[in-house]
Amino acid sequence: MDNISAVVSENLKLARQKKRLSLDELAKLTGVSKSMLGQIERGDVNPTISTLWKIANGLKVSFTELVTKPKIDYEVIDRKTREPLIADDGKCRNYPMFTFDSERRFETYYLEIDPDGRLESTPHPDGTEEFINVFSGELVITTNGEELRAKDGDSIRFKADQEHVYTNASEEICRLSMIIYYPI
């Protein structure tokens, strides 16, 4: 089942259940056959745009509500399911955890930097700030001619709209979380 089919399948099931409609009742409201509605709900078919419009109109929901993934109240992410971004010949592993969302205006990462490992970053857009929490090792961030140091349990906040470099200054893996906040 491809991505859009999965989203439509789930949204259709939820909308139908919310309105307490059987497939027969939904078929009457939409003009789409019961068998086609069943195939869409199972994700067996990729419906046409006109079919989706009929369903949206029959359910009295927006087209977008039918074809986009709904926002959820919570999300649990297993780091092992994330593919890390690799830097410094594998000495730095950067796991995107919560990707950028224009409504929230931030993104989060979990990083592991091996001893003597480093991550170099170009400037982010004007006004961008980073919030770092260190869980193990010792992190040095070099930015704007300053060296900012943090050990296990410490945190750093800095303007990230200029070049900055992260370096593990300890003999153990430096583990940290990073929140990048974009004001615009």
Side-chain angles (χ1 to χ4, degrees), residues 75-142:
E75 189 174 3
V76 176
I77 297 174
D78 182 346
R79 180 178 49 87
K80 293 182 283 279
T81 65
R82 297 294 198 207
E83 187 70 30
L85 305 168
I86 304 296
D88 195 14
D89 295 324
K91 290 182 185 176
C92 178
R93 295 162 300 283
N94 186 346
Y95 297 84
M97 301 306 284
F98 293 102
T99 56
F100 180 76
D101 178 325
S102 60
E103 290 178 22
R104 285 192 296 256
R105 299 192 335 235
F106 72 87
E107 56 194 353
T108 67
Y109 298 89
Y110 170 80
L111 283 85
E112 296 178 337
I113 305 173
D114 293 336
D116 297 321
R118 59 190 274 131
L119 173 64
E120 297 180 20
S121 182
T122 57
H124 300 302
D126 285 345
T128 300
E129 289 186 291
E130 289 192 18
F131 300 81
I132 308 297
N133 295 300
V134 177
F135 304 114
S136 68
E138 181 178 358
L139 179 68
V140 176
I141 296 176
T142 308

Side-chain angles (χ1 to χ4, degrees), residues 47-79:
T48 65
I49 291 173
S50 68
T51 299
L52 291 173
W53 272 112
K54 288 178 184 178
I55 295 169
N57 290 336
L59 285 169
K60 296 187 182 351
V61 300
S62 72
F63 183 83
T64 303
E65 190 175 334
L66 198 57
V67 298
T68 58
K69 201 171 185 177
K71 296 212 182 266
I72 54 176
D73 291 339
Y74 61 88
E75 189 174 3
V76 176
I77 297 174
D78 182 346
R79 180 178 49 87

